[in-house]
Amino acid sequence: MTAANVPSQPDPARQGEPTIEDVAAAAGVSIRTVSRVLNKSPKVNAQTRERIEAAIAALRFRPSLRARALAMRRSFLIGLIHNDRNALVLDSIQRGIVSVTAAQGYELIVHSTPPEGAEAIADAVAFASRSRVDGLIVLPPISGVDGLAAALDAVQVPAVAVSSVPLDGFAGVISSDERAAGAQVARHLLGLGHRAIGLINGPADMASARERRAGFLAEIAQAPGVTLAETPGDYTFAAGIAGAQALLAAPAPPTAIFAANDIMAAAVLKVAAARGLAVPAQLSVVGFDGSLLAQMVTPALTSVVRPFGAIAAAATRHLIARIEGGTPPPLFHPELTLAPAESTGPAPR
Amino acid sequence: MTAANVPSQPDPARQGEPTIEDVAAAAGVSIRTVSRVLNKSPKVNAQTRERIEAAIAALRFRPSLRARALAMRRSFLIGLIHNDRNALVLDSIQRGIVSVTAAQGYELIVHSTPPEGAEAIADAVAFASRSRVDGLIVLPPISGVDGLAAALDAVQVPAVAVSSVPLDGFAGVISSDERAAGAQVARHLLGLGHRAIGLINGPADMASARERRAGFLAEIAQAPGVTLAETPGDYTFAAGIAGAQALLAAPAPPTAIFAANDIMAAAVLKVAAARGLAVPAQLSVVGFDGSLLAQMVTPALTSVVRPFGAIAAAATRHLIARIEGGTPPPLFHPELTLAPAESTGPAPR
DNA sequence: TGCATTGTTGACACCGGTATCATTCAGCCT
DNA sequence: AGGCTGAATGATACCGGTGTCAACAATGCA
């Protein structure tokens, strides 16, 4: 109470951060006026504003987002829900999100859910509801779980899903045509003259894997005299190794292998090397994702590039627009393009 | 107000989530008693507790972490501050953290700061202070910035840093002996008979890079008749390509190259392949980090394994113990071990 | 029976902000 | 001069929980 309107250094004896009240006292105004300054309300006298801003700077006051959240019923927190394990993909997405949230004054809170469907829903809802995030970005595979959209809707949290296919229930889904991309891969390999082709699938319960496969197979089916061998996989390196070994151990092994993601494609390269097969001279390999890994392996993988950063940024912008009541920008449906690199070439002989 | 003590479905007309008050009304008790149940206070009659729990379940009530945060002056939020770009490393660390926070009832909020020192500090402090996290985990390279510890200390946020070297100012630093690890790499290569050795450094302003180099060089210096060539690098793939080209273009190129991280080592593999050098027959390559990448490239990289998951988990446990006033477990200083794989072999001829 | 003790519960202030509404004070018009 | 208008500001009730402390009933003991 002493020196009420003399901006001063923070009282060293005081525990914790300065509050709006300290600022008000230091500037000799009411907390409401300080609040106006914080919220850039125009109805504050210029001199008063200056005095308050000086006090804020002197006290190093930073408003508590938490108190503000309680009062405004807005947390300025965006939640990211995922239950995948692909490090590179998750990282690209996270960076894409942060590039937008940081610019718009939000923070990102990352939550990973258990893998199983029902549990995952319960966990996601509990998270959304307890942490009172303003909005949610949901990644595959959990974005594809039946009932998730409805469950999130029930707790009134705006959510944007990223998915390979349009999803029922979600108002905002950023999807891409992975089926067309699968077809692109097939055309690329057929165009190079390959007639014995192998496919290492992703997990059958993921829409992305099913779509890639469907597009790929449909295109292959159109080409006469092409033999196709496929093996199951689950997007892991180990599955890629097993799949490649199975395909290449056949009596008439394929001259080209499409692996449903880059990680498994990298595994194919490893198996090929172990068997003394030159890539691409004797075996062509295609991956999917266009992740950093595709460029780091030798030879660099021909892969379908998915613009994760742009996808994530678009999802975030859409979400924030919804949160803030503006008209959300139209949903983004990125084109997936095949980027030919060193791992594919003309079919041998 | 109707049917005050009959647990019922949430009123569909009501906006937002049910509050503790709704639960209290439904159970016919005061909010304070509901709060006791929520906090598992033992001083609640068993029957009352049951009644309240039933009401909670019926209303699908979930307490707002935000309101709780305000009241308890605890946010149950752990902040992760980073400004690095190594996707694989960040991901492993993040997963390690989440494995602990999830179990202890905390959530993770991820913040990335600008790269530059002073700005980074300001940004980190603003984040810590505004978001009122309970604690902070800080990763390199920003963890090594001078003055950061003091700045965080000033806003009274407990922080744990991960670093290659002990850091002044930080009460909690999880460090590892990267110098010894660098020496280990040198011994490995010398033991294989290599006498012409190349080194691709990490960024000179990062302690990790300096330490690795120092340990490596010291050990090399002890061995008679060994020639060493080094080039600068910055942990990126492009730098690895450039470095490898520089080293291998020399009149008497090295028979072994130590790259200061796996990403650059992967680049060395690519350059070797382009020049027709067999690895490890003609060139041995060693990386650092033991990341997934090391296992995915062909041949698999001999690398120094850094147990990121364990490091992150230990940091998190330490931090939470400090937050909760317990005695924090002793700081963890992981042993770094060289994991020989396919990319190193006896020196040619 | 009287009284201290223990176990349960509720009233109320508080955390640090925002929102609603009232109040004050100039300046302007008639 | 009196009344009106609008800009600037403050008093006070929230937001949804927890902490403190008092009230109260049931129990144990003398």
Side-chain angles (χ1 to χ4, degrees):
Chain A
M1 287 301 148
T2 63
N5 44 13
V6 177
S8 64
Q9 290 305 310
D11 177 353
R14 201 174 174 300
Q15 277 303 335
E17 304 265 301
T19 74
I20 196 173
E21 201 152 1
D22 301 330
V23 175
V29 298
S30 79
I31 60 171
R32 189 63 189 86
T33 304
V34 177
S35 172
R36 287 197 184 88
V37 170
L38 293 177
N39 292 286
K40 309 201 196 313
S41 157
K43 1 183 70 178
V44 177
N45 181 289
Q47 291 177 22
T48 312
R49 176 187 304 276
E50 267 177 41
R51 201 148 35 92
I52 293 176
E53 278 167 352
I56 289 176
L59 294 171
R60 290 190 176 72
F61 167 72
R62 297 180 212 277
S64 159
L65 284 184
R66 218 158 316 294
R68 174 190 300 228
L70 190 58
M72 297 182 75
R73 267 152 288 187
R74 287 268 310 279
S75 64
F76 296 94
L77 247 33
I78 300 279
L80 171 64
I81 295 192
H82 71 99
N83 62 350
D84 201 1
R85 44 218 145 359
N86 190 322
L88 288 161
V89 169
L90 179 61
D91 185 79
S92 318
I93 287 182
Q94 203 168 296
R95 285 167 204 269
I97 296 173
V98 169
S99 70
V100 176
T101 53
Q104 312 248 16
Y106 289 75
E107 295 288 349
L108 177 68
I109 168 165
V110 179
H111 187 85
S112 80
T113 66
E116 208 272 310
E119 281 176 53
I121 291 186
D123 187 77
V125 168
F127 166 69
S129 160
R130 287 169 53 87
S131 68
R132 298 289 202 275
V133 291
D134 287 344
L136 230 38
I137 297 174
V138 192
L139 303 186
I142 191 190
S143 61
V145 172
D146 279 341
L148 178 64
L152 290 178
D153 207 57
V155 293
Q156 318 219 20
V157 181
V160 177
V162 174
S163 168
S164 316
V165 292
L167 252 31
D168 281 351
F170 273 109
V173 184
I174 298 210
S175 61
S176 50
D177 194 342
E178 311 227 349
R179 184 176 296 235
Q184 246 185 99
V185 173
R187 282 196 298 275
H188 176 69
L189 293 177
L190 293 171
L192 288 167
H194 294 278
R195 290 299 175 265
I197 295 180
L199 167 63
I200 304 179
N201 278 300
D205 59 353
M206 281 183 69
S208 62
R210 290 197 304 270
E211 291 291 304
R212 290 168 202 181
R213 172 172 185 269
F216 188 74
L217 292 192
E219 198 72 20
I220 297 277
Q222 309 253 331
V226 173
T227 61
L228 179 95
E230 57 178 326
T231 62
D234 61 2
Y235 287 161
T236 65
F237 193 74
I241 295 280
Q245 275 166 346
L247 291 174
L248 294 174
T255 62
I257 293 180
F258 171 34
N261 74 350
D262 286 343
I263 292 176
M264 294 195 299
V268 175
L269 294 182
K270 167 150 291 192
V271 172
R275 301 178 82 96
L277 285 171
V279 176
Q282 296 169 275
L283 178 71
S284 286
V285 180
V286 181
F288 205 105
D289 280 350
S291 58
L292 284 176
L293 178 63
Q295 302 160 40
M296 293 190 192
V297 294
T298 309
L301 285 169
T302 292
S303 183
V304 174
V305 176
R306 297 209 287 166
F308 295 111
I311 289 174
T316 311
R317 273 192 291 269
H318 183 91
L319 184 60
I320 291 181
R322 282 240 306 274
I323 291 169
E324 301 189 340
T327 48
L331 285 164
F332 178 58
H333 300 294
E335 290 288 324
L336 303 186
T337 55
L338 180 74
E342 303 159 2
S343 68
T344 48
R349 214 168 21 101
Chain B
M1 287 304 147
T2 63
N5 43 14
V6 177
S8 62
Q9 290 306 311
D11 177 354
R14 200 174 175 301
Q15 278 302 339
E17 305 265 303
T19 73
I20 196 172
E21 203 153 358
D22 302 329
V23 175
V29 298
S30 79
I31 59 170
R32 193 61 191 86
T33 304
V34 177
S35 172
R36 286 197 185 91
V37 171
L38 292 177
N39 292 285
K40 308 200 199 313
S41 156
K43 2 183 71 179
V44 178
N45 181 288
Q47 292 176 21
T48 312
R49 176 187 305 275
E50 266 178 41
R51 203 147 36 93
I52 293 175
E53 278 167 352
I56 290 176
L59 295 170
R60 291 192 174 71
F61 166 72
R62 295 180 212 279
S64 159
L65 283 183
R66 218 159 315 295
R68 174 191 300 227
L70 191 57
M72 296 182 73
R73 267 153 287 186
R74 288 270 307 281
S75 65
F76 296 94
L77 248 33
I78 300 280
L80 172 64
I81 295 191
H82 71 98
N83 61 351
D84 201 2
R85 43 217 144 2
N86 190 325
L88 288 160
V89 169
L90 179 61
D91 185 79
S92 317
I93 287 182
Q94 204 168 295
R95 284 167 204 270
I97 295 173
V98 169
S99 70
V100 176
T101 53
Q104 312 248 16
Y106 288 75
E107 295 287 350
L108 177 67
I109 169 164
V110 178
H111 187 86
S112 80
T113 65
E116 209 271 311
E119 280 177 53
I121 291 186
D123 188 77
V125 168
F127 166 70
S129 159
R130 286 169 53 86
S131 68
R132 299 288 204 273
V133 291
D134 287 343
L136 230 36
I137 297 175
V138 192
L139 303 186
I142 191 190
S143 61
V145 172
D146 279 342
L148 179 63
L152 290 178
D153 206 57
V155 293
Q156 317 218 19
V157 180
V160 176
V162 174
S163 167
S164 315
V165 292
L167 253 31
D168 281 351
F170 273 108
V173 184
I174 299 213
S175 62
S176 50
D177 194 342
E178 312 227 349
R179 184 177 296 236
Q184 245 184 99
V185 173
R187 281 196 298 274
H188 176 67
L189 294 177
L190 293 171
L192 288 168
H194 294 278
R195 291 297 175 267
I197 295 181
L199 166 64
I200 304 178
N201 278 301
D205 59 353
M206 281 183 68
S208 61
R210 290 197 304 271
E211 292 292 303
R212 289 167 203 182
R213 172 173 186 268
F216 187 73
L217 292 192
E219 198 72 19
I220 297 278
Q222 308 255 330
V226 173
T227 61
L228 179 96
E230 56 177 327
T231 63
D234 61 2
Y235 286 163
T236 66
F237 193 72
I241 296 280
Q245 275 167 345
L247 291 175
L248 294 175
T255 62
I257 293 180
F258 171 34
N261 75 350
D262 286 342
I263 291 176
M264 295 195 298
V268 175
L269 294 182
K270 166 148 291 192
V271 171
R275 301 178 83 96
L277 285 172
V279 176
Q282 296 169 275
L283 179 70
S284 285
V285 180
V286 181
F288 205 105
D289 279 351
S291 58
L292 285 175
L293 178 63
Q295 301 159 42
M296 293 193 204
V297 294
T298 309
L301 285 170
T302 292
S303 184
V304 174
V305 176
R306 298 208 286 165
F308 295 111
I311 289 174
T316 311
R317 273 192 290 270
H318 182 91
L319 183 59
I320 291 181
R322 283 241 304 274
I323 291 169
E324 302 190 339
T327 48
L331 285 163
F332 178 57
H333 300 292
E335 289 288 323
L336 304 187
T337 56
L338 180 74
E342 304 160 2
S343 69
T344 47
R349 205 173 32 95

